[in-house]
Every structure is written in C-alpha cells, then in structure tokens.
Amino acid sequence: MERTEAILRPFKRSIGGAHLPHFKHTAESESVVMPSPEKVVIPMLQHIGAPCVPCVEKGDTVYVGTKIGDSEKFISAPIHSSVSGTVTAIDKVMLPSGQLTEAVVIESDGLDTPAPNLRPFEVKSPEDLCGAARACGLVGLGGAGFPAHVKLTTREDVQIDTLIINAAECEPFITSDYRECMEQGENILEAIYLVKEIMNFKKVYICVEDNKPKAIEALYKIAADKRDADNSVQLMKLKSRYPQGAEKVLVYSATGRRIPLGKLPADVGCVVMNVTSISTLNKYIKTGMPLTRKTVTVDGAVNKPQNVIVPIGTSVEEVIEFCGGYKGTPKKVLYGGPMMGTAVLKTDMPILKQNNAILVFDEKMAKQQTETPCIRCGRCANACPMKIQPLEIEATLRSGDLEEVRALNVEYCMECGCCSYVCPAKRNLTQTMRIAKAEIKAKLKR
C-alpha cells in the first residue's frame, strides 16, 4: 500500500430502518462452481424493462455466451445461453412475480463450449462503456435488475459526477457480494478505475457496512491504490442498519442528495453500481464472456449452506440438491433475502440474473404470526426510511380512498419490509403498501 487512506463516515445519517440479526452463516464459504445441469430454462425477462424476444429457434445449436434473446427497447438487456447444447423449445414460464414470459429451453451437451465469436471488448469512450454493459447483458445484480447500460448513459440535462459502489449487502443470510469482494478484488479494482476514468467521475465512494471487517480490508486496498493520485476514490464505512444498501438510502448516506419520486440516481448526479455488477462488467471487457452465471447464497434448511456459482436458467430444485438437499421438511423457499425476497411457488423455477440467494425455511423459520389490531404505537412510521406513514395508509386503503392513499405518498415506499418487521401487532404492512401501489397504478391506466 502506497499511502494511508482515510475511511469516510457517511455524509448524512439515514433515518429509520431496523437492526436485524445478520445470520451470515456462509460469509467464509468460498464460492463453489456448480456443474451445468442437463437442461436450462432461460426466461426472456430478467430485468426491469421490456422483455426480450428469442433470437434462436428450436433445433439451433448454442454455446456458452451465445445471444438467445434481445429487444430494441432502450430499457432492456440481452440474454445469453449459460450452457452449450441444443435449443429444444421456446416455451412460456411463470416468474415468481406471477408474470408469464417466454423462455428458451436448452438441453446441455455437458461440454460448456464457449461461443467462438467471443472477444475482449475495447473501451475508450463512455459510449464504448455503455455498449460493453449492454452487450454483456448486465443488470443490477444486487436484486433490482435495472439494465446497467441505462445507468451509464451520459445525459445533457444533468452533470453526473459521483460513482457509488454498493457493497453494503444489508439483508440477513446473503453473502454473495461479500464473497465477490473477497475473491474478485483485482476485477473490482480494475473496473472502478476504468469506469472512473472513462466516465470522468469526480468522486467514487465504495460503501460497505461495518459488520464486514474482512471486506473493508479488501476494499480499503482498492481505495488506497496508487492509481488514485487525487484521492477521489474513497472507502465509506456505513453503520450496519437495514436497509442501508437500498439505492435511495445509499445515495443519501454517501452524498446527502435525495432522489425525488419517480427519478433515478442519475437525476441527482450519481451512478450506483452493485459491487458484483461492476466486477462482472470488467470480466466481460477482458474476456468477451457475457453474464451467464450468477453467484447465489444458499442457506437455511439445507444440508450444506454455501455460495454457489450457478448457470443462469438452472432450476432452484437442482441448486438445492447440489447443496445436499433439504434439511428437514421445507415450508417456504425464497428468491432473495427474508426482507425483500419473493416466495417461490414451485422449485422448478429457474435462477435469474438478479437472484442473489435461495433461502429454504422450515416450519419453525417460516412460522406465520397472527395479525392483531393496530395499537397505533407509530413504530412503523419511525422505522420507515422514506418517512411515510404505513398505519395511515393501511387505514385509508381500507376506506377505498385511493386519492388520499396517494396523497400519503405510498408511491415512495420501496417495500423494504421494515414496517412489518417492527410492528408488534404483526400487521402485514409491506403487503398492504404493495397492494396500494398496484391499485393506484391500475387506476392510472384506466
């Protein structure tokens, strides 16, 4: 290390949130590569935005990295094969959200042959960088799934001056980003300085919670690298308080800037990239291999909790089997963490790009507590990082007054789950917020 690097405190203290048990059982579990399954089912919607259209047909031969789906829409991201083999069907699948989408079914030949046209991607301009992110099929790998090339597109109406690297990983159980910090430090380092130089960012904040000392040590070396001659790349240690890693919360903590309703970090001069996302971008630039595998934390009621590098399109059931199968009788299986994850209806559903965990809960872990009447204690409002009033929204929604519900700023809700977590009456407040937002959206479309 060439010099002493100051570790920053947050610029602003975020409000609300909740202190959660961490349950980071797999933090020191080195990522294990899962062999390709006999079949993958790859949905054409693995991102926020327009679904892709299959660009292969039944009977086509594909390789690892072959593009199998794309869209002409700006907010979308191409999709690639995660195995080599033969396309056996173009089918319909249901996502955990309940949405139906097309999917390409591929029978693996077991060889994992890379596509012959893969080449390193030369990046010399912001346009090249956006092109690389899109060609990679890169989306937000922390769970949001927002296409990365949209984030990196330069704008004339606002000066984007700050890059924020999100290594907070604040949800319980999930450690896939932590493992990326521990195992892919060189990729992260190269990516940060490349993106900073190409996009001419004035400041880069690498944000990590204070409950990850080994990750802090690894990321410190990146901030203190000799390439950072002007000290513009800095490590920021955040208090371990959920939902510290949420985009709006993170931008406020790092810069003091507030993202207005319906706006993106770019509207306040920031780009936020998940630490695994920026690492994946650098791997693509160096090798030409697009996003075809995802590191997933598998934990809970399984015999061998661990971090697994999974071919996208592998079924949840096969990943669980790779981890030794169920420990006891499963009651609930989640995509993602216990706060913002989605329950899986069937375990034949495929792993998507934005999946960062599979959690299996048994009867004890998934026990549903009975709702009781609201006691108007106000804990939900105190815990809300967006300063809205969940108890008032719940009561107003029951009355059917959607205009008043909207006036109570329900659309600011990011569905973090803090209100439900702290509620002593065990009200399903987060689900109520989702219902309210969906009803408002449906009304606006009429």
Side-chain angles (χ1 to χ4, degrees):
M1 200 176 300
E2 295 295 321
R3 58 187 174 81
T4 302
E5 175 78 14
I7 298 178
L8 301 183
R9 293 181 178 181
F11 184 79
K12 289 283 188 179
R13 183 184 180 277
S14 60
I15 64 164
H19 290 291
L20 305 180
H22 299 138
F23 299 131
K24 303 286 189 178
H25 308 130
T26 59
E28 303 312 318
S29 167
E30 187 173 343
S31 302
V32 178
V33 177
M34 178 179 174
S36 294
E38 294 180 0
K39 179 186 78 172
V40 291
V41 179
I42 304 180
M44 293 291 100
L45 183 57
Q46 300 187 48
H47 47 262
I48 291 174
C52 290
V53 176
C55 51
V56 291
E57 298 178 349
K58 183 178 179 180
D60 286 354
T61 298
V62 296
Y63 303 94
V64 180
T66 298
K67 185 165 69 173
I68 59 174
D70 206 348
S71 170
E72 294 181 354
K73 302 292 185 180
F74 178 58
I75 303 182
S76 187
I79 294 168
H80 303 82
S81 175
S82 58
V83 299
S84 57
T86 305
V87 176
T88 57
I90 308 294
D91 209 345
K92 291 277 188 180
V93 297
M94 181 180 288
L95 301 176
S97 63
Q99 187 172 359
L100 277 175
T101 186
E102 286 189 296
V104 175
V105 182
I106 303 170
E107 183 180 317
S108 173
D109 59 15
L111 300 176
D112 285 340
T113 307
N117 60 339
L118 301 182
R119 300 288 185 277
F121 198 104
E122 189 173 30
V123 173
K124 293 185 176 181
S125 68
E127 293 74 22
D128 291 341
L129 190 66
C130 289
R134 192 184 191 286
C136 176
L138 185 62
V139 302
L141 300 181
F146 193 82
H149 70 275
V150 179
K151 291 184 178 185
L152 293 169
T153 299
T154 54
R155 294 171 47 173
E156 295 181 358
D157 60 327
V158 64
Q159 177 64 42
I160 301 176
D161 56 17
T162 303
L163 173 64
I164 300 173
I165 304 300
N166 186 355
E169 200 164 50
C170 56
E171 278 235 39
F173 291 98
I174 306 174
T175 62
S176 52
D177 282 346
Y178 174 81
R179 291 313 310 171
E180 193 77 15
C181 295
M182 301 306 295
E183 298 167 9
Q184 297 294 331
E186 190 63 28
N187 261 320
I188 298 168
L189 183 148
E190 289 179 7
I192 287 174
Y193 286 102
L194 173 65
V195 172
K196 174 184 178 293
E197 178 184 353
I198 294 294
M199 300 297 293
N200 195 30
F201 289 123
K202 305 304 180 188
K203 277 289 182 184
V204 178
Y205 297 118
I206 306 170
C207 297
V208 60
E209 285 192 320
D210 59 11
N211 64 338
K212 303 175 180 67
K214 290 184 180 179
I216 289 170
E217 184 179 347
L219 295 171
Y220 180 95
K221 295 176 182 178
I222 294 172
D225 190 80
K226 61 185 178 182
R227 277 169 276 197
D228 185 29
D230 58 355
N231 198 30
S232 58
V233 178
Q234 293 180 293
L235 180 66
M236 182 173 287
K237 186 164 66 171
L238 308 171
K239 285 290 184 184
S240 178
R241 185 175 178 85
Y242 178 84
Q244 191 65 255
E247 198 167 66
K248 287 183 172 66
V249 176
L250 194 62
V251 169
Y252 181 70
S253 295
T255 68
R257 303 172 192 176
R258 296 182 185 273
I259 303 173
L261 179 64
K263 299 295 184 179
L264 298 171
D267 292 293
V268 295
C270 298
V271 169
V272 180
M273 293 193 75
N274 168 268
V275 69
T276 301
S277 296
I278 199 164
S279 175
T280 301
L281 177 59
N282 193 63
K283 294 172 194 174
Y284 174 72
I285 291 169
K286 290 196 299 185
T287 67
M289 178 60 74
L291 177 57
T292 62
R293 289 177 173 259
K294 181 68 177 71
T295 303
V296 176
T297 300
V298 185
D299 204 348
V302 294
N303 283 307
K304 193 176 180 182
Q306 60 186 319
N307 288 289
V308 186
I309 302 173
V310 182
I312 292 166
T314 304
S315 73
V316 169
E317 187 69 27
E318 287 177 286
V319 179
I320 292 171
E321 285 300 315
F322 179 76
C323 294
Y326 298 107
K327 188 176 182 179
T329 303
K331 177 70 174 178
K332 182 183 288 187
V333 178
L334 295 179
Y335 274 145
M339 299 297 288
M340 296 187 73
T342 304
V344 175
L345 290 174
K346 299 185 296 181
T347 53
D348 62 355
M349 287 184 171
I351 295 296
L352 310 176
K353 292 179 182 181
Q354 64 268 46
N355 288 155
N356 51 12
I358 298 172
L359 301 184
V360 180
F361 289 170
D362 58 20
E363 186 73 39
K364 182 179 179 181
M365 297 172 73
K367 184 178 180 181
Q368 183 69 41
Q369 299 190 7
T370 304
E371 278 190 307
T372 58
C374 173
I375 62 173
R376 302 191 67 80
C377 64
R379 291 184 190 178
C380 58
N382 289 334
C384 178
M386 303 309 293
K387 293 186 178 179
I388 61 177
Q389 300 282 333
L391 73 165
E392 298 295 341
I393 293 169
E394 183 189 44
T396 307
L397 183 65
R398 283 201 304 270
S399 74
D401 188 349
L402 285 181
E403 290 299 324
E404 181 60 23
V405 170
R406 198 176 189 197
L408 289 168
N409 294 319
V410 68
E411 289 162 295
Y412 276 94
C413 174
M414 56 185 178
E415 303 174 19
C416 65
C418 287
C419 54
S420 296
Y421 181 79
V422 301
C423 178
K426 305 306 175 187
R427 309 290 300 171
N428 292 318
L429 295 168
T430 306
Q431 290 85 340
T432 301
M433 302 301 108
R434 287 174 181 157
I435 291 168
K437 289 162 67 178
E439 289 190 9
I440 290 170
K441 188 175 181 180
K443 183 178 180 180
L444 292 174
K445 283 184 177 180
R446 291 173 196 154

